[in-house]
Amino acid sequence: MSDLTVKLPGLNLKNPIMPASGCFGFGKEYAQLYDLSQLGAIMIKATTVETRFGNPTPRVAETASGMLNAIGLQNPGLEKVTEQELPWLEQYDVPIIANVAGTTTEDYVEVAKMISQSPNVHALEINISCPNVKQGGITFGTDPDVARELTRAVKEVSAVPVYIKLSPNVTNIVSIAKAVEEGGADGITMINTLLGMRMDTKTGRPIIANITGGLSGPAIKPVALRMVYEVSQHTKLPIIGMGGVTNVDDVIDFLSAGASAVAVGTANFVNPFVCPEIIGQLPERLHELGFDSVEQLVGRSHRL
Amino acid sequence: MIKQERMQVVKQQQIAHHIFELTVQGALANEMAEPGQFVHIRVADSFEPLLRRPISVASIDLEASQFTMIYRAEGRGTGLLAEKKLGDTIDVLGPLGHGFPIEAAEKKAYLIGGGIGVPPLYELAKQLNARGIQTVHILGFESKQAVFYEEKFRELGETHIATVDGSHGTQGFVTHILNELPTDFDTYYSCGPTPMLEAVQWAYPQKKGFLSYEQRMGCGIGACFACVCRTTKSETDYIKVCSDGPVFPAGVVIS
């Protein structure tokens, strides 16, 4: 039997598969469909200090093998997440990675400090890469100096290891990765969505009310793989890879490129059982490829 | 309980201009509880098109483990759905959302539908009639070519048709018919374009009403926050059309 376990800062994962933040809410909806304890971890929806309503609708549009979204970090706010959502998730034997968002450094620090103290939160994912909010978010993720300082500030207050979620919407993603490593990050998650748009051909208007949205789904997998491959060669930080993962072979590809674990995003909308299905198929696929463990696969492309 | 199942196509036919009627069979049909719920269909096994399509349910046959959907084939996704043939299987997720509360009606109900909002009212009409509720159907379509299920509704009660171009029934919108009808009903149910729902709501501010909303969806089960609407309950509160709705009491959704 292949060994699916993965050890990362703060995270002893029974398998390397986790739903990506923003695609899984706080788990309640998918808990109607399967036992969440099967998952390696859950990256819960971004949490901000205050309740956020998010952007106007329409918020999603389909594109070729992908989708655009501009939800705008809608969430119930720090207080409700720590008092209601996280305690509810404690019934499952699954580590939680809390996604932290904000518009100022102080926001990030406040959310990180509080949420990292929740008993089932084992790591933070700092969202410096959301393309769908006008202030903050992505601006923290496109300037290496700003990213470094934010990482430092969050690290200082967090009770658990800190992973920084990188944006692909930059010229040089390696420089951002190096900056957050200097800032003391424990790991990297990548990639967030690619900024895009779609027009209504009849009217000439953008379909998404926010005009632009974040592109996700199978269409972005080549970009995500390339970035994981590049970044993993220039930093010692472990990487949780994501971007267009839909099946077990996509997981193999991300591990080969240098990711230590893999998050599944948009594919949950297409097949709500995709995460447990991949977990179920992973041992046999590893065996077919001649590997005994997930860890043997990590970064194999660099060793060839 | 929500299930995902490959359901078998037992009937597929075009019943009006661009309008198709599709019946599928499988255990999932036995989970159907309320008229107005919907299913989320994956139209292709490939990732093009990627997202599932929300389709409303027009009638349920629990004995045969079947249900029927009526949809407009206008885009790529519904176009592919229209190509499904007898014996093919379709990946269906459902039943989703909350439907029309049939127990709310007392004696007489108005069922007001527009275009592709008409289908869920048919199962509703059947279930209300089965409870001894008198139903009056006011249905709006673009033109005569787009009209469907007129006779089926007539079998269940008084039925009025409006067409925008006047090629069948009353010329104009359903509201033109509503203006001429008595207000001796206790409950109304409506499904159709949001401006129509608004107009119906304005027409009967004193009546008990239930409206089925449409919004672009991602997941269909409440996880992605794509289909949220503001609500009159509070300024920060919101509702999700897919999982809190699609049916809401009149006066709840700020559209």
Side-chain angles (χ1 to χ4, degrees), chain A residues 51-134:
Chain A
T51 304
R52 273 187 70 103
F53 183 79
N55 291 323
T57 58
R59 294 174 168 189
V60 292
E62 193 167 62
T63 58
S65 295
M67 67 173 265
L68 291 166
N69 90 79
I71 307 296
L73 299 180
Q74 176 153 11
N75 77 93
L78 179 60
E79 198 178 308
K80 276 192 185 159
V81 172
T82 51
E83 286 178 9
Q84 292 169 21
E85 307 291 354
L86 285 165
W88 181 85
L89 277 164
E90 279 182 44
Q91 64 186 296
Y92 298 101
D93 173 27
V94 59
I96 305 299
I97 302 174
N99 186 295
V100 174
T103 51
T104 64
T105 303
E106 290 72 25
D107 287 350
Y108 281 100
V109 165
E110 187 176 346
V111 177
K113 189 176 177 183
M114 291 299 297
I115 210 165
S116 69
Q117 289 165 24
S118 300
N120 53 342
V121 168
H122 291 211
L124 301 184
E125 178 182 53
I126 309 300
N127 187 352
I128 58 168
S129 44
C130 176
N132 296 326
V133 286
K134 285 195 175 74

Side-chain angles (χ1 to χ4, degrees), chain A residues 22-26 29-30 32-33 45 51-55 57-67 71 74-76 198 207 216-218 246-247 266 269-273 277, chain B residues 1-4 40 42 44 46-53 74 76-77 91 93 215-231 235-240 243:
Chain A
C23 299
F24 210 71
F26 295 93
E29 292 75 18
Y30 289 89
Q32 301 171 77
L33 303 175
K45 193 157 172 51
T51 304
R52 273 187 70 103
F53 183 79
N55 291 323
T57 58
R59 294 174 168 189
V60 292
E62 193 167 62
T63 58
S65 295
M67 67 173 265
I71 307 296
Q74 176 153 11
N75 77 93
R198 185 184 155 191
I207 288 179
S216 63
T246 63
N247 59 40
T266 303
F269 304 160
V270 182
N271 171 12
F273 294 91
E277 277 178 20
Chain B
M1 190 185 157
I2 300 173
K3 282 188 174 168
Q4 185 186 26
H40 222 191
R42 191 169 172 196
S46 67
F47 292 110
E48 182 55 40
L50 183 69
L51 296 175
R52 288 173 173 272
R53 273 25 186 195
E74 54 183 0
R76 190 164 145 65
D91 179 344
L93 181 73
Q215 189 63 266
R216 274 174 187 266
M217 292 177 190
C219 68
I221 60 172
C224 77
F225 290 71
C227 65
V228 297
C229 291
R230 288 191 188 273
T231 157
E235 280 197 7
T236 54
D237 214 355
Y238 58 88
I239 44 102
K240 297 172 189 170
S243 56

Side-chain angles (χ1 to χ4, degrees), chain B residues 145-165:
Chain B
Q145 283 186 310
V147 176
F148 58 88
Y149 269 37
E150 183 178 355
E151 282 313 307
K152 280 177 170 276
F153 275 103
R154 279 196 199 288
E155 286 167 15
L156 295 169
E158 185 183 324
T159 298
H160 304 267
I161 305 286
T163 54
V164 176
D165 66 359

Side-chain angles (χ1 to χ4, degrees), chain A residues 29-34 268-273 277, chain B residues 1-7 24-33 37-42 52-53 57 62 65 67 90-97 219-221:
Chain A
E29 292 75 18
Y30 289 89
Q32 301 171 77
L33 303 175
Y34 60 84
N268 288 290
F269 304 160
V270 182
N271 171 12
F273 294 91
E277 277 178 20
Chain B
M1 190 185 157
I2 300 173
K3 282 188 174 168
Q4 185 186 26
E5 185 183 345
R6 286 205 79 93
M7 301 187 79
V24 291
Q25 186 174 43
L28 193 155
N30 300 327
E31 303 293 328
M32 294 287 173
Q37 287 183 298
F38 66 101
V39 293
H40 222 191
I41 291 185
R42 191 169 172 196
R52 288 173 173 272
R53 273 25 186 195
V57 173
L62 291 175
S65 296
F67 64 86
I90 305 176
D91 179 344
V92 182
L93 181 73
L96 302 177
C219 68
I221 60 172

Side-chain angles (χ1 to χ4, degrees), chain B residues 139-144 161-174 176:
Chain B
L139 312 174
F141 299 92
E142 278 298 312
S143 65
K144 188 179 181 182
I161 305 286
T163 54
V164 176
D165 66 359
S167 52
H168 188 60
T170 303
Q171 180 170 8
F173 299 107
V174 290
H176 292 115

Side-chain angles (χ1 to χ4, degrees), chain A residues 6-26:
Chain A
V6 175
K7 272 193 193 319
L8 295 174
L11 300 163
N12 282 329
L13 307 176
K14 48 176 111 66
N15 65 67
I17 307 302
M18 59 191 82
S21 179
C23 299
F24 210 71
F26 295 93

